[in-house]
């Protein structure tokens, strides 16, 4: 896997309106706090421990993240964001447009947002082209514990409502959502403080939880998948969402004409090559505007109901 230099000099671009145009808000160094910007109450570069000490055999991995706070003193509901196999940062060194859009949109709706970088602190740039057996940062192992570490970190923040923290992820990050939010008594849901309040997973791989007959989400879960997805085909998610013990907790939405990555802002559909987990190594990715618009509406309604209600 490639060593990551993205995290060392990343630039956060932010959408200043509900459209898809992006403008750069500030040149941000990982070592210090973010610069203030118009329309943004505060953004910080933060460091916090993963819950992976049992995997490292010693000290946990110190993760980095980008924390966006909404206006006001709080306490605010919060959302943890988990990137896909390509990482949090684009090749430009900036946070990828999808994560920028969702983070700033959630922030403007009154949510505190923590974007977790699972790759940079482990010197990994991307795992899309890496076989599952060779990955050192896995959805159901390292990244699951990263999500739990993010939850613990937010619960130490005085401006966060500790009882109203949600989780959202894309692709490999969505598979992490299913692992972190489906561990039951083995995860934070089994502790006195409890786990995440609600979760959203965009086009995850559902085969792992489907193969575990005991798997079910810790609470309300929204699954959003593309009917034409040829990277993480939707059938396993459809079967999982219809299973007894699961179907009453899951809201599944299948967009018939959408491919993988349908919610990305302004990303024309293209064919990606050399993908380790896609059938045949290739898959289509790109925006479907109808699916994107509907998903935005559904996710915001879901989080407003589950994290504010």
């Amino acid at each position: 896997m490639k060593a990551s230099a993205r995290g060392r000099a990343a630039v956060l671009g932010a959408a200043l309106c509900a459209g898809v145009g992006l403008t750069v808000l500030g040149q941000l160094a990982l070592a210090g706090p973010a610069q203030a910007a118009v329309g943004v109450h505060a953004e910080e570069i933060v460091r916090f421990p993963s819950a992976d000490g049992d995997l490292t055999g010693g000290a946990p991995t110190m993760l980095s993240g980008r924390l966006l706070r909404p206006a006001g003193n709080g306490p605010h509901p919060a959302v943890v964001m988990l990137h896909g196999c390509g990482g949090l940062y684009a090749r430009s060194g900036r946070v990828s447009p999808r994560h920028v859009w969702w983070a700033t949109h959630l922030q403007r709706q009154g949510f505190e947002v923590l974007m977790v970088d699972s790759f940079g602190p482990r010197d990994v740039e991307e795992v899309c082209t890496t076989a599952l057996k060779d990955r050192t940062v896995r959805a159901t192992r390292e990244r699951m514990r990263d999500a739990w570490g993010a939850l613990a970190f937010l619960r130490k923040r005085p401006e966060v409502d500790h009882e109203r923290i949600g989780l959202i992820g894309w692709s490999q990050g969505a598979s992490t959502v299913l692992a972190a939010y489906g561990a039951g008594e083995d995860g934070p849901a089994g502790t006195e403080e409890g786990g995440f309040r609600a979760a959203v997973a965009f086009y995850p791989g559902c085969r792992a939880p489907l193969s575990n007959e005991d798997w079910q989400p810790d609470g309300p879960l929204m699954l959003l998948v593309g009917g034409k997805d040829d990277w993480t085909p939707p059938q396993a998610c459809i079967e999982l969402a219809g299973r007894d013990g699961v179907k009453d907790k899951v809201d599944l939405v299948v967009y018939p004409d959408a491919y993988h990555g349908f919610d990305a802002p302004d990303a024309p559909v293209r064919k990606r090559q050399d993908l380790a987990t896609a059938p045949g190594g290739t898959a289509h990715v790109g925006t479907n505007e109808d699916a994107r618009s509907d998903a935005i509406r559904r996710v915001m309604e879901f989080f407003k109901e589950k994290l504010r209600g």
Side-chain angles (χ1 to χ4, degrees), residues 31-56:
Q35 301 171 359
V38 176
V40 175
H41 175 61
E43 192 216 359
E44 303 173 47
I45 304 300
V46 295
R47 287 175 59 81
F48 57 93
S50 174
D52 68 348
D54 61 323
L55 300 181
T56 65

Side-chain angles (χ1 to χ4, degrees), residues 105-126:
H105 189 65
L106 284 162
Q107 178 198 35
R108 285 177 174 82
Q109 299 301 314
F111 297 94
E112 185 141 337
V113 181
L114 176 58
M115 294 185 279
V116 180
D117 180 8
S118 288
F119 289 175
R122 296 183 173 99
D123 287 329
V124 172
E125 184 171 314
E126 59 87 25

Side-chain angles (χ1 to χ4, degrees), residues 126-143:
E126 59 87 25
V127 298
C128 301
T129 60
T130 304
L132 289 175
K133 64 181 180 61
D134 297 324
R135 293 183 182 181
T136 57
V137 186
R138 297 158 290 185
T140 59
R141 302 278 285 171
E142 291 79 11
R143 299 201 64 193

Side-chain angles (χ1 to χ4, degrees), residues 92-114:
S92 64
R94 298 176 179 177
V95 176
S96 69
R98 176 190 293 111
H99 299 101
V100 168
W101 195 94
W102 277 104
T104 53
H105 189 65
L106 284 162
Q107 178 198 35
R108 285 177 174 82
Q109 299 301 314
F111 297 94
E112 185 141 337
V113 181
L114 176 58

Side-chain angles (χ1 to χ4, degrees), residues 105-209:
H105 189 65
L106 284 162
Q107 178 198 35
R108 285 177 174 82
Q109 299 301 314
F111 297 94
E112 185 141 337
V113 181
L114 176 58
M115 294 185 279
V116 180
D117 180 8
S118 288
F119 289 175
R122 296 183 173 99
D123 287 329
V124 172
E125 184 171 314
E126 59 87 25
V127 298
C128 301
T129 60
T130 304
L132 289 175
K133 64 181 180 61
D134 297 324
R135 293 183 182 181
T136 57
V137 186
R138 297 158 290 185
T140 59
R141 302 278 285 171
E142 291 79 11
R143 299 201 64 193
M144 176 177 72
R145 289 161 172 80
D146 293 353
W148 294 344
L151 176 65
F153 168 77
L154 287 175
R155 281 188 165 149
K156 295 177 182 177
R157 303 281 300 193
E159 78 281 5
V160 171
D161 186 333
H162 299 172
E163 300 299 318
R164 301 177 187 276
I165 301 174
L167 184 62
I168 186 171
W170 292 262
S171 197
Q172 194 209 29
S175 297
T176 302
V177 168
L178 301 187
Y181 192 59
E185 294 298 311
D186 294 328
T191 67
E192 183 176 348
E193 283 191 300
F196 292 100
R197 182 75 169 263
V200 173
F202 276 91
Y203 32 88
C206 288
R207 287 182 294 179

